[in-house]
Amino acid sequence: MRRWTLLLAGAALWLFLAALPALADGGPHVSAVNNGAVGLGADSCAGCHRAHSAQGVPLLTQQEGPALCLTCHGTTGVGATTDVESGQQYTPAGASGTDRGGVALGALRGGGFVQARIASGSAVRISYLSGTSVRLLAKVPVGAAQNVTSAHLPIVNGKVAVGTGTAWGNGPDSTTGSAGPVVKMDCVSCHNPHGNGQYRILNTIPDAAVTGTDTFVPAAVAAPVTDATLPPTGDSRNYTVIQTNGGTGTLLASQVTALALPPTAGDYFRRKVPWNGQTGTSNDAPNGLSANFTTQIATWCLTCHTRYLGNGYDTKEADPIYTYRHTSNNTSRNCITCHVAHGSNAQMPGPYSSVLKNPGGSSAPVGDSRLLKIDNRGTCQACHDPTGTITATSPQSGPTPVPLLP
Ligand code: HEC
Ligand code: HEC
Ligand code: HEC
Ligand code: HEC
Ligand code: HEC
Ligand code: HEC
């Protein structure tokens, strides 16, 4: 009962806030509003804080980070168009542009924490000739909702839980044999609830609370991910995998609706976007700024997973666990080419993939998909034919993609 009251309060808050021009998109997370630069009338504080009757630290309406965020961004939340639990964005309700309408707009880029809609079993690959070399390009379509097989926060009984995890590879190259510190992380480890003008309000120096013996080492240098300008009032960004033609524009929720693309449009792999056979030639750039997005986001992931930086597959690093590393920060093969940021439903039934140990040798949950987007190690085949037998005229692997272009 109490929860519903809160949700309704959230919805009403949004109808009201949307009338203020400065709020446009970004919900309560607009830094210029929260820092007082545009005047001392911010209402947003009341969406998350209480002065005398708070339930969590620091003076929050809910006990722990994820619960607060999920009052708006969860499956039953209505205060935001993005539902990060079910991995879906809805159309904005009415003209307010912020709170949730009933119609699915598309599948979220980050996958989802509880369910995700990655058609991880229907990846498609084509081969073609570029000069004398055979090249491969792959697409991962959007599919039906499935429970996740891995998530960036612990999931217990189908809910985002507060718990601990290992920040794999955090810190400088190690000789101690530690795979990474055990930490407690939540939404605000990665996102800045007050807004900071960054892409997806990502903290430029992500942090996590240490719970184990190893020290968590935050980045010494900020890792910004440039944001696009905010859309006009009454609209909302498109947070889905549907990209603009050319792949480098920020698409608004209203534009996606006008294009009448089904919510199943888009490509999760987005090595070259948007997918259209061989002609998708741009690098992923959902902020509308093609320069640097992919390397910026990889640099950002590396603030926590420091030792995942690949300096060339044949470079031996001074680390007994992460000794040789695949390229991970290139424009066409970076962390979010192979991984989603929130959670994946990819299936790992194979005898090798299903029982893969964690770095350092501890056991991982059986079938853990490591936030990958393709079943088993289809990820590798999306770019490689290790047999050298696929020619430019080889038949396509996987179902025929529908090249839905905005
Ligand atoms: C979307 C939810 C949200 C909104 C809106 C919000 N806050 Fe917060 N605030 C948080 C969370 C979550 C934390 C704890 C952050 C953390 O632990 O990193 C926090 C922390 C703080 C802190 C402590 C900062 C620190 O560095 O420890 C202050 C002060 C604060 N908020 C004030 C405000 C004020 C004033 C407003 C309105 C102008 C506001 N907040 C709006 C969620 C919010
Ligand atoms: C009172 C409702 C509310 C709460 C609570 C809330 N959000 Fe939001 N958030 C929104 C709205 C509205 C948007 C605009 C986009 C949309 O509709 O999803 C948004 C957008 C975002 C975005 C995208 C921002 C951008 O500029 O690209 C992120 C990331 C986000 N929220 C994270 C969080 C996190 C983390 C928390 C918890 C600390 C949180 N939100 C709590 C309402 C809320
Ligand atoms: C480990 C870091 C991390 C954590 C933890 C995390 N996020 Fe995110 N989130 C990201 C990144 C990175 C993106 C951008 C993904 C992309 O562009 O592919 C993102 C995107 C989003 C978006 C935009 C929609 C989308 O799927 O792209 C929202 C909304 C959001 N996060 C909210 C949340 C909320 C709420 C929580 C907690 C329940 C949370 N995030 C926890 C890193 C994180
Ligand atoms: C704030 C620090 C932080 C940032 C930033 C961060 N991670 Fe993580 N990552 C963690 C922690 C902690 C875990 C362990 C989570 C758990 O076990 O619940 C983890 C786990 C993972 C896993 C393994 C999941 C599994 O099921 O085994 C992958 C893959 C991953 N991160 C990729 C990424 C990518 C890609 C990015 C950038 C989009 C990123 N991380 C950014 C802290 C971070
Ligand atoms: C070419 C695809 C690819 C790229 C690029 C990539 N990863 Fe991975 N990642 C994988 C695969 C596959 C696994 C599963 C473990 C394995 O096979 O080594 C994995 C596993 C992980 C894990 C879980 C722990 C482990 O090693 O098993 C983390 C954390 C992780 N990756 C972080 C990152 C970060 C951070 C980046 C970017 C700096 C990145 N990955 C780039 C493919 C990739
Ligand atoms: C997004 C495309 C992409 C994905 C996905 C990918 N690779 Fe690669 N990989 C490359 C490229 C390009 C190179 C060569 C250049 C370099 O090192 O960056 C390479 C290099 C390699 C090499 C070094 C030998 C060589 O071919 O030059 C091996 C071995 C390798 N990859 C294995 C894998 C495995 C195993 C996976 C799955 C876990 C995988 N790759 C996933 C693109 C990819």
Side-chain angles (χ1 to χ4, degrees), residues 285-313:
N287 59 354
L289 306 162
S290 59
N292 299 337
F293 172 78
T294 47
T295 42
Q296 279 187 332
I297 194 92
T299 306
W300 183 84
C301 302
L302 286 162
T303 59
C304 283
H305 299 294
T306 333
R307 291 184 268 161
Y308 279 72
L309 174 62
N311 293 309
Y313 64 85

Side-chain angles (χ1 to χ4, degrees), residues 2 48-63:
R2 197 188 136 67
C48 302
H49 293 284
R50 287 295 172 276
H52 305 294
S53 57
Q55 299 300 303
V57 177
L59 298 178
L60 295 170
T61 56
Q62 300 282 320
Q63 236 169 20

